[in-house]
Amino acid sequence: MLPNMFTPVRVRFAPSPTGPIHLGGIRTALYNYLFAKKNGGRFILRMEDTDQKRYIRNAESHILESLKWCGIVPDEGIGFGGPFSPYYQSKRGYIYRFYLNQLLQNGYAYYAFDLDQDLDQKRTDFQKHGIFFSYNYKTRMNFNNSLTMTKKKLAIKLKDQNPYVVRFKMNPGEQLKIHDIIRGNIEMNTNYLDDKILLKSNGTATYHLANTIDDHLMKITHVIRGEEWISSMFFHILLYRSFGWNPPYFAHLPLILKKNGKGKMSKRNYEETIDPIFPIKWMDPNTKKMIPGYRELGYLPESFINMLALLGWNPGGNQEIFSLKELEQSFSLEKIQKSGVLFNMKKMVWFNRRYLNRNKEKVFTFLCKELKKRSIFHRYKKNYLYRVIDLTIDRIHFIHEIWDHSFYFFIDPYYYDQQYLLYNHEKYQYFLHQLEKLHNLLFSVTPFTLDNLKIVFQDKVDKNMWKIYMKLMRLSLVGVFKGVDIMIILEMIGKKQSMNRIKKLINEINTKTI
Ligand code: GLU
């Protein structure tokens, strides 16, 4: 029997600290979080840290900091406490032993004393005959386990502290039919399942045992996780049944595929991926190499989350921009697609641009910092800075690009397009002459408003001269051939500044003619 509709929704994100968290992991956390919020449920964070061999230092802090940056805040679990503490599996060994004993006593599990070399030997023998070796219902009676020895011998072996593992005794011949919320009904015959290890020889529970016990004890109603766990689902269902427990609902998320569509993105192949895959920076503990994440590359967490939410889920309709609150309201597991999703970096950049427009205050804060760094912050009013942002925001993809696109509103050009000057070196005298005329023209504009500037240029400048005037003016004001409308720059920086910059270019050209 599955949890009924009146059971409060409880979901969990259960990462293993075996490496940095990548965008697939964050998406799993996000979908769990959104599902909990949508259904007024609780989102639990549990650390599945039983695999000491694959444990990687800093992985846990990378996971926690990444979730925090994304705004995915657990209701319960690591860092938040809760009624089912501890939330670290490494601290729950005694619980797993207690429940494992039940399985042993009821004949659902057995001790296996086989040595690694014996199993390796068997594997090679099978391979020689072209058969895939599996420790299962067909082979188990040929091994050194509690099913093939007397109770007395078993007692002696245990007393003598012979190393052992505990295996699940898989009953063959049953056609399992399981419903996955995303994939529908899936079937599997237990003949294809092996006698999985539940307790390792070092005395720790395996993922399967710990995961199912914890999901039951923590009253998890829906298991939402990556597609790679789908084959484990059958075994987990059998474990629940052996304990006499109701299983939760299952929803297995589609894979996120690499750009070439081949293979999934994983935390182990980050070395070969060019597109960033970590939410925040990660320092490889072995090589000490620092790999920047979306945060360091200038992405806003809001845009990262929005992009991830739509990586496999779509509520229908044309809306693409969703705040976290909007996502919380519209999320549903039924609208998640089955097939793998292609990660599109261009779309990610597009989202970031859209979010910059919605987060001008963040751009403002960045711009203020740049001005303070140059000790010129005090010269500008808030309105002026927001006007600059409004004028340039469509030209940037990331916050840190704002200075390069707006410096000329604050400081004189620090560089002149040398290539242009060099190419036109024969026209220097002509340029100097026209710049003097421009200088005088600007002097004549009073008040120095956008309308007046337009009128003066229209009335006093010969149409044939427009092009060269604009070029010389852009060179004077910006230094290079980029930036917003010249007339707007003139008005913004004012008469004195504009005239000074023309004089500065005159000096620059003069030094070249000497
Ligand atoms: N610890 C598993 C992982 O690292 C969790 C799988 C699950 O959610 O059941 O992905």
Side-chain angles (χ1 to χ4, degrees):
M1 214 183 65
L2 290 162
N4 68 39
M5 59 188 290
F6 302 110
T7 318
V9 162
R10 290 178 57 84
V11 289
R12 76 332 187 245
F13 179 52
S16 301
T18 53
I21 187 164
H22 65 95
L23 43 88
I26 291 287
R27 188 194 58 175
T28 302
L30 175 65
Y31 284 8
N32 274 285
Y33 168 88
L34 294 176
F35 185 71
K37 295 289 155 210
K38 167 79 194 206
N39 294 288
R42 286 174 80 76
F43 170 63
I44 292 120
L45 177 62
R46 182 174 76 218
M47 205 48 75
E48 301 211 324
D49 56 346
T50 52
D51 195 346
Q52 288 303 317
K53 267 199 225 135
R54 289 181 57 211
Y55 180 84
I56 292 198
R57 214 165 19 98
N58 296 344
E60 182 185 325
S61 55
H62 188 259
I63 296 168
L64 300 184
E65 211 184 318
S66 297
L67 290 174
K68 200 167 159 197
W69 180 67
C70 294
I72 304 173
V73 186
D75 299 300
E76 199 179 304
I78 310 286
F80 295 84
F84 302 104
S85 290
Y87 291 90
Y88 284 96
Q89 286 192 331
S90 57
K91 295 189 179 147
R92 299 172 63 82
Y94 65 98
I95 301 175
Y96 309 137
R97 288 304 284 248
F98 173 81
Y99 285 100
L100 184 74
N101 280 338
Q102 279 187 11
L103 293 184
L104 283 163
Q105 273 159 22
N106 296 331
Y108 291 113
Y110 61 92
Y111 296 94
F113 298 91
D114 314 286
L115 300 172
D116 282 350
Q117 59 260 41
D118 293 338
L119 292 176
D120 287 344
Q121 184 58 48
K122 266 280 176 297
R123 219 165 269 131
T124 334
D125 292 349
F126 270 61
Q127 257 163 17
K128 269 189 206 146
H129 294 93
I131 311 167
F132 176 73
F133 171 73
S134 178
Y135 203 120
N136 61 10
Y137 73 101
K138 281 190 199 154
T139 56
R140 64 169 78 114
M141 295 315 280
N142 301 320
F143 288 108
N144 189 10
N145 57 46
S146 53
L147 303 173
T148 58
M149 62 181 70
T150 59
K151 276 200 175 144
K152 202 167 153 205
K153 190 165 172 209
L154 172 65
I156 295 170
K157 276 211 171 260
L158 291 175
K159 192 165 160 272
D160 288 352
Q161 300 198 334
N162 281 297
Y164 64 85
V165 298
V166 175
R167 287 182 181 270
F168 185 75
K169 191 172 164 218
M170 183 66 65
N171 274 338
E174 188 188 347
Q175 188 68 9
L176 292 172
K177 292 188 185 114
I178 299 176
H179 184 77
D180 181 278
I181 298 177
I182 298 169
R183 283 139 215 281
N185 294 331
I186 320 176
E187 294 194 20
M188 167 78 92
N189 196 292
T190 53
N191 284 353
Y192 299 110
L193 301 175
D194 59 351
D195 288 0
K196 287 238 175 318
I197 295 179
L198 299 170
L199 190 80
K200 290 182 258 186
S201 56
N202 64 6
T204 57
T206 56
Y207 154 72
H208 302 290
L209 182 70
N211 185 274
T212 42
I213 292 177
D214 285 348
D215 281 350
H216 172 75
L217 294 182
M218 294 180 185
K219 299 190 188 312
I220 298 303
T221 54
H222 296 73
V223 167
I224 306 166
R225 60 186 175 192
E227 189 184 82
E228 64 272 31
W229 299 107
I230 203 155
S231 54
S232 304
M233 175 172 66
F234 299 97
F235 175 45
H236 292 179
I237 291 277
L238 291 172
L239 267 176
Y240 283 107
R241 200 207 275 168
S242 312
F243 282 122
W245 298 335
N246 291 336
Y249 289 104
F250 287 96
H252 287 91
L253 307 175
L255 289 180
I256 301 176
L257 302 168
K258 286 192 282 186
K259 219 195 297 175
N260 58 12
K262 285 184 208 134
K264 66 163 192 152
M265 263 192 177
S266 87
K267 51 191 162 195
R268 284 181 224 170
N269 68 21
Y270 59 81
E271 291 285 12
E272 346 154 347
T273 356
I274 307 149
D275 294 339
I277 62 165
F278 301 139
I280 64 169
K281 67 176 186 242
W282 167 252
M283 195 186 74
D284 191 306
N286 298 322
T287 62
K288 301 275 179 268
K289 200 173 139 191
M290 186 67 88
I291 301 148
Y294 283 87
R295 182 181 67 183
E296 289 70 31
L297 294 169
Y299 290 87
L300 297 172
E302 297 87 341
S303 65
F304 181 64
I305 284 297
N306 194 156
M307 179 280 299
L308 272 188
L310 294 179
L311 213 54
W313 169 80
N314 199 313
N318 296 328
Q319 187 179 349
E320 285 193 284
I321 301 294
F322 291 91
S323 66
L324 195 57
K325 276 273 158 298
E326 286 170 323
L327 289 170
E328 289 172 14
Q329 277 150 20
S330 41
F331 187 75
S332 75
L333 292 175
E334 285 73 20
K335 293 267 165 71
I336 294 176
Q337 71 182 61
K338 283 195 205 72
S339 51
V341 261
L342 209 58
F343 172 66
N344 182 345
M345 197 62 208
K346 277 204 189 119
K347 194 76 190 178
M348 176 70 248
V349 176
W350 178 87
F351 272 115
N352 212 53
R353 260 187 115 147
R354 296 292 301 266
Y355 272 90
L356 282 182
N357 265 292
R358 296 175 140 221
N359 283 279
K360 288 191 185 144
E361 20 357 300
K362 287 196 180 168
V363 185
F364 174 78
T365 313
F366 187 88
L367 193 56
C368 292
K369 264 196 228 144
E370 290 294 313
L371 295 171
K372 279 181 190 152
K373 228 171 25 192
R374 292 167 178 84
S375 309
I376 50 172
F377 174 65
H378 58 280
R379 291 192 203 154
Y380 301 98
K381 292 216 169 78
K382 199 172 168 183
N383 283 353
Y384 184 84
L385 301 185
Y386 268 105
R387 178 96 208 277
V388 169
I389 292 170
D390 282 339
L391 287 166
T392 50
I393 197 147
D394 285 339
R395 295 163 184 259
I396 64 169
H397 300 84
F398 305 101
I399 290 182
H400 59 257
E401 290 174 346
I402 190 71
W403 181 251
D404 270 356
H405 286 267
S406 66
F407 70 89
Y408 51 86
F409 287 111
F410 308 103
I411 57 169
D412 292 349
Y414 47 88
Y415 168 87
Y416 292 101
D417 189 328
Q418 296 301 328
Q419 230 177 335
Y420 180 77
L421 290 175
L422 209 66
Y423 185 74
N424 290 292
H425 67 279
E426 281 168 3
K427 298 185 192 153
Y428 278 176
Q429 287 312 319
Y430 174 72
F431 279 180
L432 288 171
H433 182 62
Q434 297 309 330
L435 282 167
E436 286 296 350
K437 276 170 79 176
L438 260 173
H439 190 263
N440 294 340
L441 191 70
L442 293 184
F443 182 69
S444 73
V445 186
T446 332
F448 206 72
T449 60
L450 189 58
D451 287 344
N452 276 351
L453 280 162
K454 280 184 186 161
I455 293 169
V456 170
F457 270 82
Q458 223 120 51
D459 290 354
K460 303 211 172 141
V461 178
D462 191 299
K463 281 279 163 297
N464 299 331
M465 296 303 288
W466 260 88
K467 212 167 151 195
I468 185 69
Y469 268 29
M470 288 303 142
K471 280 214 150 155
L472 288 176
M473 208 129 63
R474 193 167 290 280
L475 211 54
S476 311
L477 302 180
V478 185
V480 289
F481 295 103
K482 68 175 196 182
V484 307
D485 187 324
I486 282 292
M487 297 291 155
I488 294 178
I489 304 177
L490 286 171
E491 191 214 20
M492 289 279 288
I493 65 172
K495 188 167 181 170
K496 198 166 154 227
Q497 272 290 330
S498 303
M499 289 171 63
N500 279 348
R501 289 195 194 176
I502 293 196
K503 274 274 177 258
K504 230 183 134 188
L505 181 60
I506 292 176
N507 287 342
E508 169 82 12
I509 296 178
N510 268 331
T511 56
K512 288 188 182 297
T513 53
I514 298 165

